[in-house]
């Protein structure tokens, strides 16, 4: 049912925990119906120097959180904005159809953290992939 990579990231998740010095935090999910993902980023000079996550959910949710953090660590904010749920699924060698939503949550959590980063920087909190919108009034 699950690939070896999914099982590995579930049994040995990477980047678990919180970052005390995080300058970007994003949380997605719904506590009443299931999975919750929280991503912490430490961004310096537009590069994600460190990333941690805390996920409450099934094995696929934990695996997708782990893989997503691995995929954006060391990347620029612009590169991290390009992350898609499909890329996360492909990196894990696929997910069962009923678990695809977990990869969507992982993408959304990363983008929520990046949105928080933009807000803290005084930039429009809803980044558009490929460009940063700034208020030029």
């Amino acid at each position: 049912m699950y690939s070896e990579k999914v099982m590995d990231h579930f049994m040995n998740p990477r980047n678990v925990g919180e970052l005390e010095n995080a300058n970007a935090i994003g949380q997605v999910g719904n506590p009443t119906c299931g999975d919750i993902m929280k991503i912490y980023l430490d961004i310096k000079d537009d590069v994600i120097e460190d990333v941690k996550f805390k996920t409450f959910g099934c094995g696929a949710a934990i695996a997708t959180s782990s893989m997503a953090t691995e995929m954006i660590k060391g990347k620029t904010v612009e590169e991290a904005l390009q992350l898609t749920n499909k890329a996360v699924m492909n990196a894990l060698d696929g997910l069962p159809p009923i678990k695809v939503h977990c990869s969507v949550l992982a993408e959304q959590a990363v983008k929520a953290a990046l949105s928080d980063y933009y807000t803290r920087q005084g930039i429009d909190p809803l980044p558009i992939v490929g460009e940063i919108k700034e208020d030029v009034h």
Side-chain angles (χ1 to χ4, degrees), residues 3-67:
S3 72
E4 285 184 31
K5 283 187 182 176
V6 170
M7 292 305 296
D8 181 42
H9 277 267
F10 167 63
M11 300 298 288
N12 307 292
R14 284 67 152 178
N15 307 307
V16 175
E18 297 180 30
L19 285 176
E20 287 186 27
N21 59 338
N23 56 2
I25 301 171
Q27 181 173 312
V28 296
N30 185 335
T32 59
C33 69
D35 305 321
I36 303 169
M37 293 182 184
K38 193 167 189 175
I39 302 272
Y40 302 81
L41 303 176
D42 179 23
I43 302 171
K44 289 189 181 103
D45 298 324
D46 204 40
V47 175
I48 299 169
E49 295 213 337
D50 202 2
V51 56
K52 298 282 186 199
F53 79 91
K54 290 179 96 176
T55 293
F56 176 81
C58 66
I62 292 166
T64 56
S65 299
S66 174
M67 181 57 81

Side-chain angles (χ1 to χ4, degrees), residues 49-90:
E49 295 213 337
D50 202 2
V51 56
K52 298 282 186 199
F53 79 91
K54 290 179 96 176
T55 293
F56 176 81
C58 66
I62 292 166
T64 56
S65 299
S66 174
M67 181 57 81
T69 61
E70 285 286 282
M71 293 174 76
I72 65 169
K73 194 172 194 175
K75 303 288 188 193
T76 65
V77 169
E78 188 67 29
E79 290 169 329
L81 281 171
Q82 305 298 321
L83 181 75
T84 65
N85 75 297
K86 185 175 181 178
V88 173
M89 284 194 317
N90 287 343

Side-chain angles (χ1 to χ4, degrees), residues 64 68 71 82-92 95 99-108 111:
T64 56
M71 293 174 76
Q82 305 298 321
L83 181 75
T84 65
N85 75 297
K86 185 175 181 178
V88 173
M89 284 194 317
N90 287 343
L92 288 168
L95 288 171
K99 295 298 181 178
V100 169
H101 72 278
C102 295
S103 64
V104 173
L105 279 177
E107 175 188 344
Q108 290 173 340
K111 291 183 177 172

